[in-house]
Amino acid sequence: MNPSGLESLIEALRCLPGIGPKSAQRMAYHLLQRDRPGAQRLGDAVLHALQAIRHCQRCNTFTEGDICERCASPRRDPELLCVVETPVDMNMMEQTLTYRGMYYVLMGKISPLDGVGPKELGLDRLMTRALDGVVKEVILATNYTNEGEATAHYITAMLKPKGVGVTRIARGVPVGGELEYVDSGTLAQALRERKICGD
Amino acid sequence: MNPSGLESLIEALRCLPGIGPKSAQRMAYHLLQRDRPGAQRLGDAVLHALQAIRHCQRCNTFTEGDICERCASPRRDPELLCVVETPVDMNMMEQTLTYRGMYYVLMGKISPLDGVGPKELGLDRLMTRALDGVVKEVILATNYTNEGEATAHYITAMLKPKGVGVTRIARGVPVGGELEYVDSGTLAQALRERKICGD
Protein backbone atom coordinates (compact mmCIF):
# COMPACT_ATOMS: atom_id res chain seq x y z
CA MET A 1 0.00 0.00 0.00
CA ASN A 2 3.03 2.30 -0.29
CA PRO A 3 2.80 4.78 -3.19
CA SER A 4 4.65 3.50 -6.25
CA GLY A 5 7.40 6.13 -6.15
CA LEU A 6 8.19 5.07 -2.60
CA GLU A 7 8.16 1.38 -3.51
CA SER A 8 10.56 2.10 -6.39
CA LEU A 9 12.88 3.94 -4.01
CA ILE A 10 12.82 1.09 -1.48
CA GLU A 11 13.49 -1.41 -4.27
CA ALA A 12 16.32 0.74 -5.66
CA LEU A 13 18.00 1.09 -2.26
CA ARG A 14 18.23 -2.70 -2.07
CA CYS A 15 20.94 -2.66 -4.73
CA LEU A 16 23.27 -1.34 -2.01
CA PRO A 17 25.44 -4.10 -0.53
CA GLY A 18 24.15 -5.46 2.78
CA ILE A 19 20.80 -3.69 2.57
CA GLY A 20 17.70 -5.87 2.87
CA PRO A 21 14.01 -4.93 2.60
CA LYS A 22 13.66 -3.67 6.20
CA SER A 23 16.75 -1.44 6.05
CA ALA A 24 15.77 -0.16 2.62
CA GLN A 25 12.35 0.81 3.93
CA ARG A 26 13.87 2.57 6.92
CA MET A 27 16.30 4.43 4.66
CA ALA A 28 13.55 5.51 2.27
CA TYR A 29 11.39 6.86 5.10
CA HIS A 30 14.41 8.60 6.59
CA LEU A 31 15.31 10.27 3.31
CA LEU A 32 11.77 11.45 2.60
CA GLN A 33 10.83 12.41 6.14
CA ARG A 34 14.00 13.68 7.76
CA ASP A 35 16.61 14.50 5.16
CA ARG A 36 15.27 15.70 1.85
CA PRO A 37 18.35 17.87 1.16
CA GLY A 38 20.50 14.78 1.80
CA ALA A 39 18.32 12.76 -0.55
CA GLN A 40 18.71 15.41 -3.22
CA ARG A 41 22.49 15.33 -2.80
CA LEU A 42 22.46 11.53 -2.91
CA GLY A 43 20.44 11.39 -6.11
CA ASP A 44 22.60 14.02 -7.77
CA ALA A 45 25.86 12.45 -6.57
CA VAL A 46 24.97 8.97 -7.82
CA LEU A 47 23.99 10.22 -11.26
CA HIS A 48 26.99 12.55 -11.46
CA ALA A 49 29.42 9.80 -10.41
CA LEU A 50 27.95 7.40 -12.97
CA GLN A 51 28.59 9.92 -15.67
CA ALA A 52 31.99 11.19 -14.45
CA ILE A 53 33.79 8.21 -12.92
CA ARG A 54 35.64 5.74 -15.10
CA HIS A 55 38.72 3.55 -14.86
CA CYS A 56 42.29 4.84 -15.13
CA GLN A 57 43.72 3.54 -18.39
CA ARG A 58 46.98 2.64 -16.68
CA CYS A 59 46.14 1.38 -13.17
CA ASN A 60 42.42 0.64 -13.53
CA THR A 61 41.37 2.55 -10.39
CA PHE A 62 38.49 5.02 -10.36
CA THR A 63 39.27 8.40 -11.88
CA GLU A 64 37.57 11.29 -13.59
CA GLY A 65 40.26 11.76 -16.24
CA ASP A 66 41.90 9.26 -18.59
CA ILE A 67 44.83 8.75 -16.22
CA CYS A 68 44.57 9.02 -12.42
CA GLU A 69 46.67 11.45 -10.39
CA ARG A 70 49.01 8.76 -9.09
CA CYS A 71 49.78 7.34 -12.51
CA ALA A 72 50.36 10.86 -13.84
CA SER A 73 52.75 11.77 -11.01
CA PRO A 74 56.42 12.03 -12.08
CA ARG A 75 57.54 11.51 -8.47
CA ARG A 76 56.63 7.84 -8.31
CA ASP A 77 58.96 4.96 -9.16
CA PRO A 78 57.78 3.48 -12.49
CA GLU A 79 59.85 0.31 -12.00
CA LEU A 80 57.63 -0.95 -9.17
CA LEU A 81 54.07 -2.11 -9.81
CA CYS A 82 51.94 -3.08 -6.82
CA VAL A 83 48.87 -5.21 -7.61
CA VAL A 84 45.92 -4.78 -5.23
CA GLU A 85 42.33 -6.00 -5.28
CA THR A 86 40.49 -2.73 -4.63
CA PRO A 87 40.98 1.05 -4.43
CA VAL A 88 40.57 0.70 -0.64
CA ASP A 89 43.57 -1.64 -0.57
CA MET A 90 45.52 0.90 -2.61
CA ASN A 91 44.68 3.57 -0.03
CA MET A 92 45.81 1.21 2.74
CA MET A 93 49.15 0.75 0.96
CA GLU A 94 49.51 4.52 0.58
CA GLN A 95 48.86 5.02 4.28
CA THR A 96 51.96 2.98 5.11
CA LEU A 97 53.95 5.91 3.63
CA THR A 98 56.61 3.39 2.59
CA TYR A 99 55.67 2.66 -1.00
CA ARG A 100 56.43 5.09 -3.80
CA GLY A 101 55.86 2.91 -6.86
CA MET A 102 52.91 2.51 -9.20
CA TYR A 103 49.73 0.46 -8.75
CA TYR A 104 47.45 -1.82 -10.65
CA VAL A 105 43.97 -2.25 -9.18
CA LEU A 106 42.28 -5.52 -10.14
CA MET A 107 38.83 -4.32 -9.01
CA GLY A 108 38.16 -7.83 -7.79
CA LYS A 109 39.82 -11.22 -7.47
CA ILE A 110 39.66 -14.59 -9.12
CA SER A 111 36.56 -16.19 -7.64
CA PRO A 112 35.18 -19.16 -9.60
CA LEU A 113 32.12 -19.40 -7.34
CA ASP A 114 31.11 -15.90 -8.43
CA GLY A 115 31.96 -16.62 -12.05
CA VAL A 116 35.06 -14.41 -11.99
CA GLY A 117 37.98 -16.01 -13.81
CA PRO A 118 41.20 -14.48 -15.19
CA LYS A 119 39.32 -13.26 -18.24
CA GLU A 120 36.51 -11.56 -16.31
CA LEU A 121 39.12 -9.93 -14.10
CA GLY A 122 40.85 -8.52 -17.19
CA LEU A 123 44.26 -9.95 -16.31
CA ASP A 124 45.35 -9.42 -19.92
CA ARG A 125 45.31 -5.68 -19.19
CA LEU A 126 47.57 -6.24 -16.17
CA MET A 127 49.85 -8.33 -18.42
CA THR A 128 50.16 -5.47 -20.92
CA ARG A 129 50.75 -2.99 -18.10
CA ALA A 130 53.41 -5.12 -16.35
CA LEU A 131 55.27 -5.87 -19.58
CA ASP A 132 55.65 -2.25 -20.69
CA GLY A 133 59.43 -2.63 -20.48
CA VAL A 134 59.77 -0.20 -17.57
CA VAL A 135 58.32 -2.28 -14.72
CA LYS A 136 61.03 -4.41 -13.10
CA GLU A 137 59.13 -5.81 -10.13
CA VAL A 138 55.47 -6.68 -9.66
CA ILE A 139 54.52 -6.73 -5.97
CA LEU A 140 51.45 -8.85 -5.32
CA ALA A 141 49.44 -7.29 -2.49
CA THR A 142 46.21 -9.23 -2.90
CA ASN A 143 44.57 -10.43 0.32
CA TYR A 144 45.73 -13.56 2.09
CA THR A 145 42.33 -15.13 1.55
CA ASN A 146 41.74 -18.17 -0.66
CA GLU A 147 40.67 -15.98 -3.57
CA GLY A 148 43.50 -13.48 -3.04
CA GLU A 149 46.02 -16.31 -2.92
CA ALA A 150 44.61 -17.93 -6.06
CA THR A 151 44.78 -14.58 -7.83
CA ALA A 152 48.40 -14.11 -6.75
CA HIS A 153 49.34 -17.60 -7.93
CA TYR A 154 47.70 -17.05 -11.29
CA ILE A 155 49.45 -13.71 -11.84
CA THR A 156 52.78 -15.23 -10.82
CA ALA A 157 52.37 -18.05 -13.35
CA MET A 158 51.41 -15.51 -15.97
CA LEU A 159 54.24 -13.01 -15.46
CA LYS A 160 57.20 -15.08 -14.24
CA PRO A 161 57.91 -16.70 -17.65
CA LYS A 162 57.99 -13.23 -19.23
CA GLY A 163 61.05 -12.31 -17.20
CA VAL A 164 59.54 -9.71 -14.89
CA GLY A 165 60.23 -10.02 -11.15
CA VAL A 166 57.20 -11.06 -9.08
CA THR A 167 57.10 -10.74 -5.28
CA ARG A 168 54.42 -11.22 -2.63
CA ILE A 169 53.95 -9.11 0.51
CA ALA A 170 55.06 -10.95 3.64
CA ARG A 171 52.74 -12.96 5.82
CA GLY A 172 53.26 -13.29 9.57
CA VAL A 173 52.37 -12.10 13.04
CA PRO A 174 50.88 -8.57 12.85
CA VAL A 175 52.85 -5.69 14.33
CA GLY A 176 51.70 -5.42 17.93
CA GLY A 177 50.26 -8.93 17.65
CA GLU A 178 50.46 -11.35 20.56
CA LEU A 179 51.04 -15.03 19.83
CA GLU A 180 48.18 -15.91 22.16
CA TYR A 181 45.70 -14.21 19.86
CA VAL A 182 47.19 -15.04 16.47
CA ASP A 183 45.53 -17.90 14.59
CA SER A 184 47.62 -21.03 14.17
CA GLY A 185 47.77 -20.79 10.37
CA THR A 186 49.40 -17.36 10.58
CA LEU A 187 51.76 -18.56 13.29
CA ALA A 188 52.74 -21.63 11.26
CA GLN A 189 53.54 -19.38 8.29
CA ALA A 190 55.47 -16.97 10.49
CA LEU A 191 57.53 -19.92 11.76
CA ARG A 192 58.15 -21.30 8.27
CA GLU A 193 59.18 -17.90 6.94
CA ARG A 194 61.33 -16.99 9.94
CA LYS A 195 64.24 -14.62 9.36
CA ILE A 196 67.81 -14.78 10.65
CA CYS A 197 68.18 -12.31 13.52
CA GLY A 198 70.79 -9.58 13.44
CA ASP A 199 70.78 -9.31 9.64
CA MET B 1 43.12 10.73 -3.40
CA ASN B 2 39.69 9.58 -4.59
CA PRO B 3 38.36 11.58 -7.55
CA SER B 4 35.97 14.31 -6.40
CA GLY B 5 32.85 12.78 -7.92
CA LEU B 6 33.54 9.61 -5.96
CA GLU B 7 34.19 11.55 -2.75
CA SER B 8 30.89 13.39 -3.24
CA LEU B 9 29.08 10.08 -3.68
CA ILE B 10 30.67 8.60 -0.54
CA GLU B 11 29.77 11.73 1.40
CA ALA B 12 26.20 11.68 0.05
CA LEU B 13 25.70 8.03 0.97
CA ARG B 14 26.48 8.91 4.59
CA CYS B 15 23.13 10.68 4.88
CA LEU B 16 21.56 7.21 4.98
CA PRO B 17 20.75 6.11 8.54
CA GLY B 18 23.34 3.78 10.07
CA ILE B 19 25.89 4.28 7.29
CA GLY B 20 29.37 5.41 8.36
CA PRO B 21 32.41 6.30 6.24
CA LYS B 22 33.58 2.70 5.70
CA SER B 23 30.16 1.42 4.62
CA ALA B 24 29.62 4.45 2.41
CA GLN B 25 32.93 3.80 0.68
CA ARG B 26 32.08 0.14 0.17
CA MET B 27 28.67 1.09 -1.22
CA ALA B 28 30.13 3.66 -3.62
CA TYR B 29 32.68 1.19 -4.97
CA HIS B 30 29.99 -1.45 -5.29
CA LEU B 31 27.68 0.86 -7.23
CA LEU B 32 30.39 2.05 -9.61
CA GLN B 33 32.15 -1.27 -10.06
CA ARG B 34 29.47 -3.93 -9.87
CA ASP B 35 26.04 -2.42 -10.31
CA ARG B 36 25.89 0.62 -12.54
CA PRO B 37 22.32 -0.15 -13.68
CA GLY B 38 21.33 -0.38 -10.01
CA ALA B 39 23.06 2.93 -9.33
CA GLN B 40 21.17 4.53 -12.20
CA ARG B 41 17.88 3.21 -10.81
CA LEU B 42 18.81 4.45 -7.34
CA GLY B 43 19.66 7.94 -8.52
CA ASP B 44 16.49 8.16 -10.60
CA ALA B 45 14.29 6.70 -7.84
CA VAL B 46 15.57 9.11 -5.18
CA LEU B 47 15.04 12.16 -7.36
CA HIS B 48 11.65 10.92 -8.57
CA ALA B 49 10.46 10.15 -5.04
CA LEU B 50 11.57 13.58 -3.82
CA GLN B 51 9.47 15.18 -6.49
CA ALA B 52 6.47 12.84 -6.31
CA ILE B 53 6.06 11.86 -2.65
CA ARG B 54 4.29 14.14 -0.21
CA HIS B 55 2.11 13.78 2.86
CA CYS B 56 -1.55 12.79 2.76
CA GLN B 57 -3.59 15.82 3.76
CA ARG B 58 -5.78 13.71 6.00
CA CYS B 59 -3.58 11.03 7.61
CA ASN B 60 -0.11 12.49 7.02
CA THR B 61 1.38 9.29 5.56
CA PHE B 62 3.41 9.26 2.35
CA THR B 63 1.37 9.49 -0.83
CA GLU B 64 1.64 10.64 -4.41
CA GLY B 65 -1.79 12.29 -4.51
CA ASP B 66 -3.41 14.78 -2.15
CA ILE B 67 -5.19 12.03 -0.25
CA CYS B 68 -3.80 8.50 0.21
CA GLU B 69 -5.66 5.40 -0.94
CA ARG B 70 -6.71 4.40 2.57
CA CYS B 71 -8.16 7.79 3.42
CA ALA B 72 -9.99 7.85 0.09
CA SER B 73 -11.49 4.38 0.58
CA PRO B 74 -15.26 4.40 1.30
CA ARG B 75 -14.98 0.93 2.88
CA ARG B 76 -13.20 2.07 6.02
CA ASP B 77 -14.89 3.12 9.26
CA PRO B 78 -14.51 6.92 9.57
CA GLU B 79 -15.45 6.88 13.27
CA LEU B 80 -12.20 5.17 14.30
CA LEU B 81 -8.87 6.98 14.09
CA CYS B 82 -5.71 5.03 14.90
CA VAL B 83 -2.65 7.14 15.72
CA VAL B 84 0.72 5.54 14.86
CA GLU B 85 4.28 6.84 14.81
CA THR B 86 5.36 5.74 11.33
CA PRO B 87 4.04 4.32 8.04
CA VAL B 88 5.72 1.03 9.01
CA ASP B 89 3.59 0.90 12.15
CA MET B 90 0.52 1.56 10.02
CA ASN B 91 1.46 -1.39 7.81
CA MET B 92 1.90 -3.54 10.91
CA MET B 93 -1.61 -2.59 12.06
CA GLU B 94 -2.99 -3.41 8.62
CA GLN B 95 -1.34 -6.81 8.69
CA THR B 96 -3.39 -7.76 11.74
CA LEU B 97 -6.41 -7.74 9.38
CA THR B 98 -8.56 -6.71 12.35
CA TYR B 99 -8.66 -2.94 11.98
CA ARG B 100 -10.87 -1.24 9.41
CA GLY B 101 -10.81 2.36 10.63
CA MET B 102 -8.76 5.37 9.57
CA TYR B 103 -5.20 6.32 10.53
CA TYR B 104 -3.16 9.30 11.51
CA VAL B 105 0.60 8.94 11.08
CA LEU B 106 2.64 11.19 13.37
CA MET B 107 5.86 10.66 11.37
CA GLY B 108 7.74 10.71 14.66
CA LYS B 109 7.16 10.99 18.38
CA ILE B 110 7.60 13.55 21.11
CA SER B 111 11.31 13.41 21.90
CA PRO B 112 12.67 16.43 23.80
CA LEU B 113 16.26 15.17 23.48
CA ASP B 114 15.96 15.41 19.70
CA GLY B 115 14.18 18.75 19.91
CA VAL B 116 10.83 17.28 18.87
CA GLY B 117 7.97 18.70 20.92
CA PRO B 118 4.20 18.73 20.26
CA LYS B 119 4.64 21.66 17.90
CA GLU B 120 7.41 20.08 15.81
CA LEU B 121 5.33 16.91 15.60
CA GLY B 122 2.41 18.94 14.23
CA LEU B 123 -0.07 17.70 16.83
CA ASP B 124 -2.36 20.61 15.94
CA ARG B 125 -3.02 18.86 12.63
CA LEU B 126 -3.96 15.67 14.50
CA MET B 127 -6.25 17.79 16.71
CA THR B 128 -8.05 19.19 13.65
CA ARG B 129 -8.30 15.72 12.13
CA ALA B 130 -9.62 14.07 15.31
CA LEU B 131 -12.19 16.80 15.95
CA ASP B 132 -13.79 16.69 12.50
CA GLY B 133 -17.08 15.68 14.11
CA VAL B 134 -17.06 12.20 12.56
CA VAL B 135 -14.31 10.52 14.60
CA LYS B 136 -15.72 8.97 17.78
CA GLU B 137 -12.68 7.10 19.08
CA VAL B 138 -8.98 7.83 18.79
CA ILE B 139 -6.91 4.66 19.28
CA LEU B 140 -3.36 5.44 20.38
CA ALA B 141 -1.00 2.87 18.87
CA THR B 142 2.30 4.61 19.54
CA ASN B 143 5.13 2.40 20.77
CA TYR B 144 5.43 1.38 24.40
CA THR B 145 8.75 3.19 24.66
CA ASN B 146 9.32 6.25 26.81
CA GLU B 147 8.81 8.57 23.86
CA GLY B 148 5.80 6.66 22.57
CA GLU B 149 4.23 6.74 26.03
CA ALA B 150 4.90 10.46 26.42
CA THR B 151 3.34 11.08 23.02
CA ALA B 152 0.27 9.04 23.98
CA HIS B 153 -0.11 10.93 27.26
CA TYR B 154 0.17 14.27 25.53
CA ILE B 155 -2.42 13.37 22.89
CA THR B 156 -4.76 12.05 25.58
CA ALA B 157 -4.50 15.31 27.54
CA MET B 158 -5.10 17.23 24.33
CA LEU B 159 -8.14 15.32 23.05
CA LYS B 160 -9.94 14.06 26.16
CA PRO B 161 -11.29 17.52 27.19
CA LYS B 162 -12.73 17.94 23.68
CA GLY B 163 -15.11 15.05 24.25
CA VAL B 164 -13.62 12.53 21.82
CA GLY B 165 -12.96 9.00 23.11
CA VAL B 166 -9.28 8.13 23.50
CA THR B 167 -8.04 4.55 23.96
CA ARG B 168 -4.62 2.91 24.08
CA ILE B 169 -3.70 -0.48 22.62
CA ALA B 170 -3.23 -3.12 25.32
CA ARG B 171 0.07 -3.98 26.88
CA GLY B 172 0.89 -7.48 28.11
CA VAL B 173 2.51 -10.83 27.44
CA PRO B 174 2.92 -11.31 23.66
CA VAL B 175 0.87 -14.01 21.94
CA GLY B 176 3.01 -17.15 22.05
CA GLY B 177 5.11 -15.52 24.77
CA GLU B 178 6.47 -17.56 27.66
CA LEU B 179 6.63 -15.96 31.09
CA GLU B 180 10.21 -17.16 31.46
CA TYR B 181 11.32 -14.93 28.61
CA VAL B 182 9.08 -11.91 29.16
CA ASP B 183 10.72 -8.93 30.87
CA SER B 184 9.48 -8.15 34.35
CA GLY B 185 8.08 -4.73 33.41
CA THR B 186 5.79 -6.31 30.83
CA LEU B 187 4.81 -9.06 33.25
CA ALA B 188 4.04 -6.52 36.00
CA GLN B 189 1.79 -4.62 33.58
CA ALA B 190 0.12 -7.82 32.44
CA LEU B 191 -0.61 -8.64 36.08
CA ARG B 192 -1.94 -5.17 36.86
CA GLU B 193 -4.17 -5.16 33.78
CA ARG B 194 -5.41 -8.73 34.24
CA LYS B 195 -8.86 -9.57 32.89
CA ILE B 196 -11.66 -11.57 34.46
CA CYS B 197 -11.72 -15.03 32.88
CA GLY B 198 -14.82 -16.38 31.19
CA ASP B 199 -16.08 -12.94 30.15
Side-chain angles (χ1 to χ4, degrees):
Chain A
M1 280 288 272
N2 279 325
S4 70
L6 183 55
E7 277 303 329
S8 305
L9 175 56
I10 293 172
E11 191 53 40
L13 282 164
R14 293 191 54 190
C15 80
L16 295 171
I19 302 303
K22 284 257 173 184
S23 298
Q25 182 168 271
R26 198 164 55 94
M27 286 175 166
Y29 288 149
H30 174 88
L31 288 177
L32 290 171
Q33 183 60 23
R34 308 216 182 285
D35 196 3
R36 285 191 169 235
Q40 183 73 45
R41 278 198 306 277
L42 176 60
D44 292 341
V46 170
L47 298 181
H48 170 76
L50 275 178
Q51 174 263 314
I53 304 284
R54 44 200 157 147
H55 293 287
C56 172
Q57 290 179 5
R58 300 201 79 205
C59 78
N60 201 36
T61 194
F62 292 124
T63 177
E64 292 190 0
D66 289 336
I67 304 284
C68 76
E69 285 179 55
R70 271 195 203 99
C71 285
S73 166
R75 298 227 204 108
R76 304 197 68 110
D77 184 350
E79 298 189 349
L80 291 177
L81 184 70
C82 179
V83 177
V84 292
E85 294 181 15
T86 69
V88 182
D89 296 343
M90 179 166 68
N91 290 339
M92 296 304 290
M93 288 295 295
E94 282 296 288
Q95 281 167 28
T96 65
L97 301 175
T98 56
Y99 181 71
R100 300 296 299 164
M102 314 301 283
Y103 288 95
Y104 188 87
V105 183
L106 295 171
M107 292 289 180
K109 59 216 161 188
I110 291 179
S111 176
L113 286 180
D114 301 316
V116 180
K119 200 174 150 204
E120 288 73 23
L121 203 51
L123 288 189
D124 47 334
R125 284 191 55 207
L126 167 58
M127 183 99 149
T128 313
R129 174 72 186 86
L131 301 178
D132 66 349
V134 180
V135 172
K136 295 231 173 90
E137 179 182 349
V138 172
I139 302 170
L140 300 176
T142 54
N143 289 328
Y144 268 111
T145 55
N146 286 341
E147 289 100 338
E149 281 280 75
T151 308
H153 283 134
Y154 193 94
I155 296 173
T156 305
M158 181 176 87
L159 292 178
K160 213 68 182 274
K162 307 288 179 183
V164 65
V166 183
T167 58
R168 182 92 169 97
I169 53 168
R171 178 165 48 175
V173 178
V175 173
E178 298 178 73
L179 263 59
E180 184 178 346
Y181 301 109
V182 167
D183 70 288
S184 55
T186 298
L187 201 52
Q189 275 296 335
L191 183 64
R192 204 173 308 147
E193 292 168 19
R194 63 193 179 278
K195 294 179 62 182
I196 297 168
C197 297
D199 260 16
Chain B
M1 281 287 272
N2 279 324
S4 70
L6 183 55
E7 278 302 329
S8 306
L9 175 56
I10 293 172
E11 191 53 40
L13 283 164
R14 292 191 54 190
C15 80
L16 295 171
I19 301 304
K22 284 256 173 185
S23 298
Q25 182 169 270
R26 198 164 55 95
M27 285 175 166
Y29 288 148
H30 174 88
L31 288 177
L32 290 171
Q33 183 60 23
R34 308 217 182 284
D35 195 4
R36 285 191 169 235
Q40 182 73 44
R41 278 198 306 277
L42 176 59
D44 292 341
V46 170
L47 298 181
H48 170 76
L50 275 178
Q51 175 264 314
I53 304 284
R54 43 199 156 148
H55 293 287
C56 172
Q57 291 179 5
R58 300 201 78 204
C59 78
N60 202 36
T61 194
F62 292 124
T63 177
E64 292 191 0
D66 289 336
I67 304 284
C68 76
E69 285 179 54
R70 271 195 203 98
C71 285
S73 166
R75 297 228 206 107
R76 304 196 70 109
D77 183 350
E79 298 189 349
L80 291 177
L81 184 70
C82 179
V83 178
V84 292
E85 294 181 14
T86 69
V88 182
D89 296 343
M90 179 166 68
N91 290 339
M92 296 304 290
M93 288 294 295
E94 282 296 288
Q95 281 167 28
T96 65
L97 301 176
T98 56
Y99 181 71
R100 300 297 297 163
M102 313 302 282
Y103 288 95
Y104 188 86
V105 183
L106 295 171
M107 291 289 180
K109 60 216 160 188
I110 291 179
S111 177
L113 286 179
D114 301 317
V116 180
K119 200 174 148 203
E120 288 73 24
L121 203 51
L123 288 189
D124 48 334
R125 284 191 55 207
L126 167 58
M127 183 99 149
T128 312
R129 174 71 186 87
L131 301 178
D132 66 349
V134 180
V135 172
K136 295 230 173 92
E137 179 181 349
V138 173
I139 302 169
L140 300 177
T142 54
N143 289 329
Y144 268 111
T145 56
N146 286 340
E147 289 100 339
E149 281 279 75
T151 308
H153 283 134
Y154 192 95
I155 296 173
T156 305
M158 182 176 87
L159 292 178
K160 213 68 183 274
K162 307 288 179 182
V164 65
V166 183
T167 58
R168 182 91 170 95
I169 53 169
R171 178 165 47 176
V173 178
V175 173
E178 297 177 72
L179 263 59
E180 184 177 347
Y181 301 109
V182 167
D183 70 288
S184 55
T186 298
L187 201 52
Q189 275 296 335
L191 183 64
R192 205 173 308 147
E193 293 169 18
R194 63 193 179 277
K195 294 179 62 182
I196 297 168
C197 297
D199 259 16

